[in-house]
Amino acid sequence: AGRGDGDAVSSALPIIDISPFVDPGNSSPETLQQVGAQVYDACTGSGFFMIKGYEAIVPADSLVLLFDLMHRVFALPPEVKAKMKGAENRGYFALGEENLSTVYTALNEGAAGRELGDYKEGVDIGREIARGDPEYGGAFRGPNYWPDPDAVGDDWRPAVVAHFGRMTRLGDVLAHVIACALGLPMEWFDDKMQRPMTVCRLLHYPPAPVLESRISCGAHSDYGFCAILAQDDSGGLQLLNKKDEWVAVTPVPNTLVVNVGDMLQRWTNNKFVSTIHRVINPASSNRHRFSSPFFYEPSFDTLVECIPTCLAPGETPKFQPPQIFESFLL
């Protein structure tokens, strides 16, 4: 599995209409089960799928605005963006400051510039927690670091906060879909998502320098429950299939990409698959890729133990002892 820009075959992910779960009261049990079955097949296959039918929660025009907000913030001078630097998955990081090529080093051996870090910049935004809240200041629960309104507009922060809320609601709906896929009551995950450790990333991938053979985002899997990705039409996302081949994901308009995280794979006793993926945006693309993954995660103190429907009679859980979600983060 080399790094080369041209060694990934192109593929389309399954597109699943989740609108029955957006309005489950007007959907038949059979329809909900059909959607759940499609998601089960996707999660036990590549671990990636696309969704449509979410516009009642995340309207198309709100995503157009999101990309405008990203263009605005990443166009700022470096010294202005540097003022947004924070800690513990909050705030701005510059090109090369994150290096996911160190996660699965063997998968990035073909990249001469891997030690230089990922060729992307980003802003990490977590759930807003009031300073008077007992939860405030705990691990990964500190303040967000916002850009100066004079630099990006007075609407920037409230628009991002509104997007965060919509994506959290969409995550709640996806948790219902996943519960159905696993043969559980639709609300099975609800009490585990009361104070979710959600993170919204805003990402900018410039065309990677030719001579440095830079990786835009090194090979990795996501650690948590699931990720929901909004992306432009630039392409660049690649998955590692079961044949150890890189597969390029073809962007599809008016869809979001969903993938299983490591914790959900563990929760399902390895039935669901958390797949290694990366981003390659070579100089030859002459494109600036913008994307925003939303990491939908449970509460910090959620106990992650084998889901009952994922254990066959006589089978024992593959992961012992059970762990709280905190241990996946620290």
Side-chain angles (χ1 to χ4, degrees):
R3 180 267 179 215
D5 302 330
D7 65 350
V9 296
S10 183
S11 177
L13 296 175
I15 300 174
I16 300 173
D17 184 352
I18 65 165
S19 58
F21 280 86
V22 174
D23 186 17
N26 288 316
S27 304
S28 69
E30 292 77 17
T31 299
L32 297 175
Q33 289 173 4
Q34 287 171 4
V35 176
Q38 292 176 60
V39 169
Y40 183 89
D41 288 345
C43 290
T44 55
S46 72
F48 272 78
F49 56 98
M50 291 179 175
I51 58 171
K52 65 178 183 178
Y54 51 78
E55 290 82 5
I57 300 172
V58 184
D61 59 357
S62 73
L63 292 175
V64 172
L65 174 59
L66 176 69
F67 282 92
D68 174 64
L69 299 172
M70 284 194 274
H71 280 265
R72 278 192 241 169
V73 74
F74 292 123
L76 296 175
E79 63 272 15
V80 177
K81 289 183 284 192
K83 294 178 181 178
M84 295 170 58
K85 287 192 175 181
E88 289 194 333
N89 284 31
R90 298 289 186 275
Y92 174 75
F93 62 90
L95 295 172
E97 288 188 351
E98 184 171 271
N99 191 354
L100 295 180
S101 295
T102 62
V103 180
Y104 294 99
T105 54
L107 296 178
N108 298 295
E109 286 177 352
R114 65 178 180 171
E115 73 282 354
L116 300 174
D118 293 351
Y119 204 67
K120 69 176 187 289
E121 61 178 339
V123 179
D124 287 333
I125 299 151
R127 176 167 53 90
E128 290 269 73
I129 302 172
R131 287 185 179 271
D133 192 310
E135 190 181 18
Y136 180 85
F140 300 101
R141 288 164 289 181
N144 286 309
Y145 296 79
W146 300 100
D148 185 343
D150 290 338
V152 293
D154 291 335
D155 64 328
W156 201 94
R157 178 174 176 174
V160 170
V161 171
H163 172 74
F164 196 103
R166 287 188 290 267
M167 293 301 289
T168 301
R169 170 70 184 122
L170 180 58
D172 293 341
V173 170
L174 278 170
H176 290 169
V177 180
I178 289 169
C180 181
L182 293 168
L184 299 166
M186 189 185 301
E187 301 82 10
W188 194 86
F189 289 106
D190 284 5
D191 64 343
K192 302 159 183 66
M193 307 292 185
Q194 293 302 304
R195 300 181 74 82
M197 299 300 296
T198 42
V199 174
C200 177
R201 303 198 96 187
L202 309 178
L203 298 174
H204 169 220
Y205 300 88
V210 178
L211 296 179
E212 294 175 359
S213 187
R214 295 288 290 274
I215 292 180
S216 303
C217 180
H220 67 285
S221 58
D222 296 332
Y223 62 81
F225 187 81
C226 75
I228 312 167
L229 176 71
Q231 61 176 340
D232 62 16
D233 60 357
S234 298
L237 175 62
Q238 300 180 0
L239 318 182
L240 190 66
N241 69 16
K242 294 176 181 179
K243 298 177 183 178
D244 284 340
E245 299 168 333
W246 287 110
V247 178
V249 175
T250 305
V252 177
N254 302 311
T255 66
L256 298 170
V257 178
V258 179
N259 68 279
V260 172
D262 298 342
M263 189 206 66
L264 184 54
Q265 176 173 318
R266 182 187 181 105
W267 221 340
T268 61
N269 213 34
N270 279 355
K271 287 191 182 299
F272 283 9
V273 179
S274 178
T275 295
I276 294 171
H277 51 286
R278 68 181 184 181
V279 175
I280 300 292
N281 187 31
S284 58
S285 76
N286 200 30
R287 295 286 301 270
H288 287 256
R289 171 183 165 88
F290 292 85
S291 69
S292 178
F294 185 85
F295 298 98
Y296 180 77
E297 316 292 12
S299 306
F300 207 57
D301 58 356
T302 295
L303 184 66
V304 179
E305 58 183 339
C306 182
I307 292 172
T309 57
C310 297
L311 201 62
E315 189 180 11
T316 57
K318 294 179 171 63
F319 302 99
Q320 292 285 8
Q323 290 182 261
I324 59 171
F325 181 54
E326 175 183 5
S327 64
F328 289 85
L329 300 173
L330 301 179

Short mmCIF file of all heavy atoms in Angstrom, two decimals, residues 54-87:
data_model
loop_
_atom_site.label_atom_id
_atom_site.label_comp_id
_atom_site.label_asym_id
_atom_site.label_seq_id
_atom_site.Cartn_x
_atom_site.Cartn_y
_atom_site.Cartn_z
N TYR A 54 -31.16 14.20 4.81
CA TYR A 54 -30.93 14.83 6.12
C TYR A 54 -31.28 16.31 6.11
O TYR A 54 -31.09 17.01 7.11
CB TYR A 54 -29.46 14.68 6.52
CG TYR A 54 -28.51 15.13 5.43
CD1 TYR A 54 -28.26 16.49 5.20
CD2 TYR A 54 -27.89 14.20 4.59
CE1 TYR A 54 -27.43 16.90 4.18
CE2 TYR A 54 -27.05 14.61 3.57
CZ TYR A 54 -26.82 15.96 3.37
OH TYR A 54 -26.00 16.38 2.36
N GLU A 55 -31.78 16.84 4.99
CA GLU A 55 -31.91 18.29 4.82
C GLU A 55 -32.86 18.95 5.82
O GLU A 55 -32.75 20.16 6.07
CB GLU A 55 -32.34 18.61 3.39
CG GLU A 55 -31.28 18.34 2.34
CD GLU A 55 -31.23 16.86 1.93
OE1 GLU A 55 -32.09 16.08 2.39
OE2 GLU A 55 -30.35 16.52 1.11
N ALA A 56 -33.78 18.20 6.39
CA ALA A 56 -34.66 18.79 7.40
C ALA A 56 -33.88 19.16 8.67
O ALA A 56 -34.34 20.01 9.45
CB ALA A 56 -35.79 17.81 7.76
N ILE A 57 -32.71 18.56 8.85
CA ILE A 57 -31.86 18.87 10.00
C ILE A 57 -30.70 19.76 9.59
O ILE A 57 -30.39 20.76 10.26
CB ILE A 57 -31.31 17.56 10.64
CG1 ILE A 57 -32.45 16.68 11.11
CG2 ILE A 57 -30.36 17.89 11.78
CD1 ILE A 57 -32.01 15.31 11.57
N VAL A 58 -30.04 19.41 8.49
CA VAL A 58 -28.90 20.17 7.99
C VAL A 58 -29.24 20.62 6.56
O VAL A 58 -28.96 19.91 5.60
CB VAL A 58 -27.61 19.32 7.99
CG1 VAL A 58 -26.40 20.16 7.56
CG2 VAL A 58 -27.36 18.72 9.37
N PRO A 59 -29.86 21.79 6.42
CA PRO A 59 -30.25 22.25 5.09
C PRO A 59 -29.05 22.49 4.19
O PRO A 59 -27.95 22.80 4.65
CB PRO A 59 -30.99 23.57 5.38
CG PRO A 59 -31.35 23.52 6.82
CD PRO A 59 -30.29 22.71 7.48
N ALA A 60 -29.28 22.36 2.89
CA ALA A 60 -28.19 22.54 1.92
C ALA A 60 -27.57 23.92 2.02
O ALA A 60 -26.34 24.07 1.93
CB ALA A 60 -28.71 22.28 0.51
N ASP A 61 -28.40 24.95 2.23
CA ASP A 61 -27.84 26.31 2.27
C ASP A 61 -26.97 26.51 3.51
O ASP A 61 -26.05 27.35 3.50
CB ASP A 61 -28.94 27.37 2.18
CG ASP A 61 -29.97 27.27 3.30
OD1 ASP A 61 -29.89 26.34 4.12
OD2 ASP A 61 -30.87 28.15 3.35
N SER A 62 -27.21 25.75 4.58
CA SER A 62 -26.36 25.88 5.76
C SER A 62 -24.97 25.32 5.50
O SER A 62 -23.97 25.80 6.06
CB SER A 62 -27.00 25.17 6.97
OG SER A 62 -26.92 23.76 6.85
N LEU A 63 -24.87 24.31 4.64
CA LEU A 63 -23.56 23.76 4.27
C LEU A 63 -22.84 24.69 3.31
O LEU A 63 -21.61 24.83 3.36
CB LEU A 63 -23.72 22.37 3.68
CG LEU A 63 -24.19 21.30 4.67
CD1 LEU A 63 -24.43 19.97 3.97
CD2 LEU A 63 -23.20 21.13 5.81
N VAL A 64 -23.58 25.36 2.43
CA VAL A 64 -22.97 26.37 1.58
C VAL A 64 -22.34 27.46 2.45
O VAL A 64 -21.20 27.90 2.22
CB VAL A 64 -24.00 26.99 0.61
CG1 VAL A 64 -23.40 28.18 -0.14
CG2 VAL A 64 -24.49 25.93 -0.38
N LEU A 65 -23.06 27.89 3.47
CA LEU A 65 -22.54 28.89 4.40
C LEU A 65 -21.31 28.37 5.14
O LEU A 65 -20.33 29.10 5.33
CB LEU A 65 -23.62 29.29 5.40
CG LEU A 65 -23.19 30.25 6.53
CD1 LEU A 65 -22.63 31.56 5.97
CD2 LEU A 65 -24.34 30.51 7.50
N LEU A 66 -21.35 27.09 5.55
CA LEU A 66 -20.20 26.50 6.26
C LEU A 66 -18.92 26.63 5.44
O LEU A 66 -17.87 27.01 5.97
CB LEU A 66 -20.49 25.04 6.58
CG LEU A 66 -19.33 24.27 7.23
CD1 LEU A 66 -19.07 24.78 8.64
CD2 LEU A 66 -19.61 22.77 7.23
N PHE A 67 -19.00 26.33 4.16
CA PHE A 67 -17.80 26.40 3.32
C PHE A 67 -17.37 27.85 3.12
O PHE A 67 -16.16 28.13 3.04
CB PHE A 67 -18.03 25.68 1.99
CG PHE A 67 -17.93 24.19 2.13
CD1 PHE A 67 -19.05 23.42 2.40
CD2 PHE A 67 -16.70 23.55 2.04
CE1 PHE A 67 -18.96 22.04 2.56
CE2 PHE A 67 -16.60 22.18 2.20
CZ PHE A 67 -17.72 21.42 2.46
N ASP A 68 -18.31 28.77 3.10
CA ASP A 68 -17.96 30.18 3.03
C ASP A 68 -17.22 30.60 4.31
O ASP A 68 -16.21 31.33 4.25
CB ASP A 68 -19.21 31.03 2.86
CG ASP A 68 -18.93 32.52 2.94
OD1 ASP A 68 -18.21 33.02 2.06
OD2 ASP A 68 -19.40 33.17 3.89
N LEU A 69 -17.68 30.10 5.45
CA LEU A 69 -17.01 30.40 6.72
C LEU A 69 -15.59 29.86 6.73
O LEU A 69 -14.67 30.51 7.25
CB LEU A 69 -17.81 29.80 7.89
CG LEU A 69 -19.25 30.29 8.07
CD1 LEU A 69 -19.96 29.46 9.13
CD2 LEU A 69 -19.27 31.77 8.43
N MET A 70 -15.39 28.66 6.16
CA MET A 70 -14.05 28.09 6.10
C MET A 70 -13.14 28.91 5.20
O MET A 70 -11.99 29.20 5.55
CB MET A 70 -14.13 26.63 5.63
CG MET A 70 -14.62 25.66 6.69
SD MET A 70 -14.32 23.93 6.26
CE MET A 70 -15.77 23.58 5.29
N HIS A 71 -13.65 29.31 4.05
CA HIS A 71 -12.84 30.14 3.15
C HIS A 71 -12.43 31.43 3.84
O HIS A 71 -11.29 31.89 3.69
CB HIS A 71 -13.63 30.44 1.87
CG HIS A 71 -13.62 29.31 0.88
ND1 HIS A 71 -12.72 29.26 -0.16
CD2 HIS A 71 -14.38 28.19 0.77
CE1 HIS A 71 -12.94 28.16 -0.87
NE2 HIS A 71 -13.94 27.50 -0.32
N ARG A 72 -13.35 32.00 4.61
CA ARG A 72 -13.04 33.25 5.29
C ARG A 72 -11.92 33.10 6.31
O ARG A 72 -10.97 33.88 6.34
CB ARG A 72 -14.29 33.78 6.02
CG ARG A 72 -15.25 34.53 5.15
CD ARG A 72 -16.27 35.23 6.06
NE ARG A 72 -17.62 34.78 5.79
CZ ARG A 72 -18.67 35.06 6.57
NH1 ARG A 72 -18.49 35.76 7.68
NH2 ARG A 72 -19.88 34.64 6.26
N VAL A 73 -12.01 32.09 7.16
CA VAL A 73 -11.04 31.97 8.25
C VAL A 73 -9.67 31.54 7.74
O VAL A 73 -8.63 32.02 8.22
CB VAL A 73 -11.56 31.02 9.35
CG1 VAL A 73 -11.50 29.55 8.93
CG2 VAL A 73 -10.80 31.23 10.65
N PHE A 74 -9.63 30.66 6.74
CA PHE A 74 -8.33 30.19 6.26
C PHE A 74 -7.64 31.20 5.33
O PHE A 74 -6.45 31.06 5.06
CB PHE A 74 -8.47 28.83 5.59
CG PHE A 74 -8.83 27.74 6.56
CD1 PHE A 74 -9.98 26.96 6.36
CD2 PHE A 74 -8.05 27.49 7.66
CE1 PHE A 74 -10.32 25.96 7.27
CE2 PHE A 74 -8.38 26.49 8.58
CZ PHE A 74 -9.53 25.74 8.38
N ALA A 75 -8.38 32.22 4.90
CA ALA A 75 -7.77 33.27 4.10
C ALA A 75 -7.07 34.32 4.96
O ALA A 75 -6.37 35.19 4.43
CB ALA A 75 -8.83 33.96 3.24
N LEU A 76 -7.22 34.23 6.27
CA LEU A 76 -6.59 35.20 7.17
C LEU A 76 -5.07 35.05 7.15
O LEU A 76 -4.54 33.95 6.92
CB LEU A 76 -7.10 35.01 8.59
CG LEU A 76 -8.59 35.27 8.84
CD1 LEU A 76 -8.96 34.92 10.27
CD2 LEU A 76 -8.94 36.73 8.54
N PRO A 77 -4.34 36.11 7.44
CA PRO A 77 -2.87 36.01 7.53
C PRO A 77 -2.46 35.03 8.64
O PRO A 77 -3.18 34.89 9.64
CB PRO A 77 -2.44 37.45 7.88
CG PRO A 77 -3.59 38.31 7.46
CD PRO A 77 -4.82 37.49 7.65
N PRO A 78 -1.31 34.37 8.48
CA PRO A 78 -0.87 33.39 9.48
C PRO A 78 -0.82 33.95 10.89
O PRO A 78 -1.19 33.25 11.85
CB PRO A 78 0.53 33.00 8.98
CG PRO A 78 0.49 33.24 7.51
CD PRO A 78 -0.39 34.43 7.33
N GLU A 79 -0.38 35.19 11.06
CA GLU A 79 -0.26 35.75 12.40
C GLU A 79 -1.62 35.97 13.06
O GLU A 79 -1.75 35.93 14.29
CB GLU A 79 0.53 37.06 12.37
CG GLU A 79 -0.12 38.19 11.57
CD GLU A 79 0.25 38.18 10.09
OE1 GLU A 79 0.77 37.15 9.59
OE2 GLU A 79 0.02 39.22 9.43
N VAL A 80 -2.66 36.17 12.25
CA VAL A 80 -4.01 36.31 12.80
C VAL A 80 -4.57 34.94 13.19
O VAL A 80 -5.15 34.78 14.27
CB VAL A 80 -4.93 37.01 11.78
CG1 VAL A 80 -6.36 37.09 12.31
CG2 VAL A 80 -4.41 38.40 11.45
N LYS A 81 -4.37 33.95 12.33
CA LYS A 81 -4.83 32.60 12.66
C LYS A 81 -4.12 32.06 13.89
O LYS A 81 -4.71 31.33 14.70
CB LYS A 81 -4.62 31.66 11.46
CG LYS A 81 -5.57 31.95 10.30
CD LYS A 81 -5.40 30.97 9.16
CE LYS A 81 -4.17 31.25 8.32
NZ LYS A 81 -4.16 30.48 7.05
N ALA A 82 -2.84 32.41 14.06
CA ALA A 82 -2.06 31.92 15.20
C ALA A 82 -2.66 32.36 16.53
O ALA A 82 -2.47 31.69 17.56
CB ALA A 82 -0.61 32.39 15.09
N LYS A 83 -3.39 33.46 16.54
CA LYS A 83 -4.02 33.93 17.78
C LYS A 83 -5.15 33.01 18.24
O LYS A 83 -5.63 33.13 19.37
CB LYS A 83 -4.55 35.36 17.59
CG LYS A 83 -3.46 36.39 17.35
CD LYS A 83 -4.06 37.77 17.11
CE LYS A 83 -2.96 38.80 16.85
NZ LYS A 83 -3.52 40.14 16.55
N MET A 84 -5.58 32.11 17.34
CA MET A 84 -6.66 31.17 17.69
C MET A 84 -6.12 29.85 18.24
O MET A 84 -6.89 28.93 18.50
CB MET A 84 -7.50 30.86 16.44
CG MET A 84 -8.25 32.03 15.87
SD MET A 84 -8.97 31.60 14.26
CE MET A 84 -9.98 30.19 14.72
N LYS A 85 -4.82 29.72 18.41
CA LYS A 85 -4.26 28.45 18.88
C LYS A 85 -4.70 28.18 20.31
O LYS A 85 -4.66 29.07 21.16
CB LYS A 85 -2.73 28.48 18.77
CG LYS A 85 -2.24 28.38 17.33
CD LYS A 85 -0.76 28.12 17.25
CE LYS A 85 -0.33 27.91 15.79
NZ LYS A 85 1.11 27.62 15.67
N GLY A 86 -5.11 26.92 20.56
CA GLY A 86 -5.59 26.55 21.88
C GLY A 86 -4.93 25.28 22.38
O GLY A 86 -3.74 25.05 22.16
N ALA A 87 -5.71 24.45 23.06
CA ALA A 87 -5.19 23.21 23.62
C ALA A 87 -6.30 22.17 23.64
O ALA A 87 -7.48 22.49 23.57
CB ALA A 87 -4.68 23.45 25.04
#
